[in-house]
Amino acid sequence: MDFGLVLQTDPPASGVVELMRRAENSGFDYGWTFDSAVLWQEPFVIYSRILEHTERLIVGPMVTNPGTRTWEVTASTFATLNDMYGNRTICGIGRGDSAMRVAGRQPNTLARLGEAIETIRDLAEGREAVVDGNPVRIPWIKNGRLPVWMAAYGPKALALTGQKADGFILQLADPFLTEWMVKAVRTAAAEAGRDPDAVTICVAAPAYVGDDLDHAREQCRWFGGMVGNHVADLVSRYGEHSGAVPEYLTAYIKERDGYDYSHHGRTGNPDTAFVPDEIVDRFCLLGPAEAHIEKLERLRALGVDQFAVYAMHDAKESTIDAYGERIIPALAG
């Protein structure tokens, strides 16, 4: 199992770079960041510094979207970093939640997202693609490589992931839901004539190592609110009892009452009071190192290839160190 670290690009950028260096030294393989231009600093600028100050870390957004930047700009940015540092980038992509809504736009359609996945990958790897009806190829790219992993929850998005993406990003660590969603992705891949085992599975969730569970839950409760935004979209699209999405995922948002993106992804978010302890425990990894190892072994048995640690809490350094000292060695490979 590979391991990633996920950070917000809060200033100073030097702090993000240092945490990524710490992660690489602790055995992490991937360095991910949020991508929301209004809420945080521009990640692609910071990726250049991370790549400069690390040797093997693969970096990218968790997640970008097709609407914030034009597709040829996104592709060229990845390709430039790859040309400078040797194909060490990855593109996590989704419809766009905070990045689009904070700017007053709606998330992208799945049709647009599916087109963007293929176009950005083709352009970043030096192939011709059609952009707004025009054939485009970036001529200076040689031997470029850009895996594109898609974030998804709902049935149609999971199907699209299996049909077109190189990997699947699931932003929660509940084993029951992981099994259900991984099966949906792999089934869609097989039906599209692809090798279902070739789709990389990445679970991303907060991890907090320590014995004080009450404190850990309060530090990670924000995650249930963030996931709740996507769940609310699913309920509005499919209905609360449609059977298209497990009620095991949707039931907890009944008491949800709006969401203020100024607190997005942050400890102490006042819009997450509706998130019960049960959801925090199911969606996150909390407790002593042994509890993390046990849950990660369950996830690995379900086909998870990477666990990406959301470190938006008061124990970033100690969590990175605990993973490096005890957890990664127990699950590496």
Side-chain angles (χ1 to χ4, degrees):
M1 179 179 275
D2 291 334
F3 288 84
L5 178 68
V6 190
L7 299 174
Q8 294 169 338
T9 52
D10 288 313
S14 59
V16 177
V17 175
E18 285 304 311
L19 286 170
M20 291 298 187
R21 290 182 63 187
R22 190 182 194 118
E24 181 180 69
N25 291 336
S26 296
F28 285 76
D29 310 285
Y30 289 77
W32 302 94
T33 75
F34 282 40
D35 178 15
S36 191
V38 174
L39 297 178
W40 302 287
Q41 292 186 330
E42 171 56 36
F44 285 94
V45 177
I46 300 171
Y47 295 156
S48 187
R49 295 290 288 175
I50 294 170
L51 289 164
E52 181 182 4
H53 289 282
T54 57
E55 295 180 358
R56 58 175 181 79
L57 206 67
I58 297 169
V59 305
M62 188 179 281
V63 293
T64 192
N65 70 85
T68 301
R69 306 171 187 85
T70 61
W71 300 350
E72 72 275 15
V73 170
T74 298
S76 181
T77 304
F78 277 114
T80 301
L81 292 171
N82 283 337
D83 187 64
M84 293 171 68
Y85 298 105
N87 284 342
R88 289 171 54 201
T89 68
I90 186 167
C91 178
I93 195 167
R95 293 177 59 230
D97 180 32
S98 63
M100 298 296 286
R101 287 179 163 131
V102 168
R105 307 184 187 103
Q106 290 299 307
N108 297 269
T109 65
L110 286 176
R112 180 172 170 81
L113 176 55
E115 185 181 354
I117 287 172
E118 295 181 324
T119 299
I120 291 169
R121 181 171 51 210
D122 283 344
L123 290 174
E125 294 185 347
R127 295 184 294 276
E128 183 179 285
V130 176
V131 179
D132 293 331
N134 300 305
V136 175
R137 187 178 74 83
I138 303 175
W140 52 263
I141 296 175
K142 308 296 181 185
N143 302 314
R145 182 175 182 273
L146 183 67
V148 181
W149 296 5
M150 180 176 157
Y153 292 106
K156 292 180 180 179
L158 293 169
L160 181 63
T161 302
Q163 292 159 5
K164 297 196 174 185
D166 300 301
F168 167 42
I169 298 172
L170 172 57
Q171 291 163 308
L172 53 80
D174 178 87
F176 173 83
L177 294 171
T178 298
E179 183 175 20
W180 184 84
M181 294 187 185
V182 168
K183 181 180 179 181
V185 169
R186 295 208 188 284
T187 297
E191 290 176 350
R194 305 179 68 200
D195 178 1
D197 293 327
V199 181
T200 304
I201 308 298
C202 174
V203 161
Y208 197 106
V209 182
D211 295 323
D212 188 342
L213 281 177
D214 289 337
H215 180 73
R217 287 178 182 128
E218 291 311 312
Q219 288 292 304
C220 298
R221 197 174 303 277
W222 62 266
F223 185 65
M226 187 182 86
V227 174
N229 293 331
H230 303 287
V231 174
D233 283 346
L234 294 177
V235 170
S236 67
R237 186 175 302 117
Y238 295 102
E240 187 174 346
H241 305 292
S242 67
V245 182
E247 290 190 42
Y248 195 67
L249 172 63
T250 60
Y252 84 98
I253 68 162
K254 290 179 181 178
E255 304 301 321
R256 180 180 180 271
D257 184 23
Y259 191 83
D260 181 353
Y261 279 91
S262 66
H263 306 287
H264 189 57
R266 299 190 185 279
T267 296
N269 186 333
D271 295 323
T272 59
F274 72 93
V275 180
D277 288 351
E278 176 200 359
I279 289 293
V280 182
D281 292 347
R282 279 172 43 197
F283 285 9
C284 305
L285 275 75
L286 312 175
E290 293 78 10
H292 292 243
I293 292 169
E294 179 182 0
K295 191 167 187 178
L296 287 167
E297 286 176 338
R298 291 178 65 191
L299 293 170
R300 181 168 63 178
L302 295 172
V304 174
D305 301 296
Q306 179 184 152
F307 176 60
V309 175
Y310 277 108
M312 276 64 80
H313 49 56
D314 65 0
K316 296 179 179 67
E317 291 85 355
S318 63
T319 296
I320 293 169
D321 294 347
Y323 264 72
E325 292 164 7
R326 302 189 59 187
I327 298 169
I328 291 176
L331 290 132

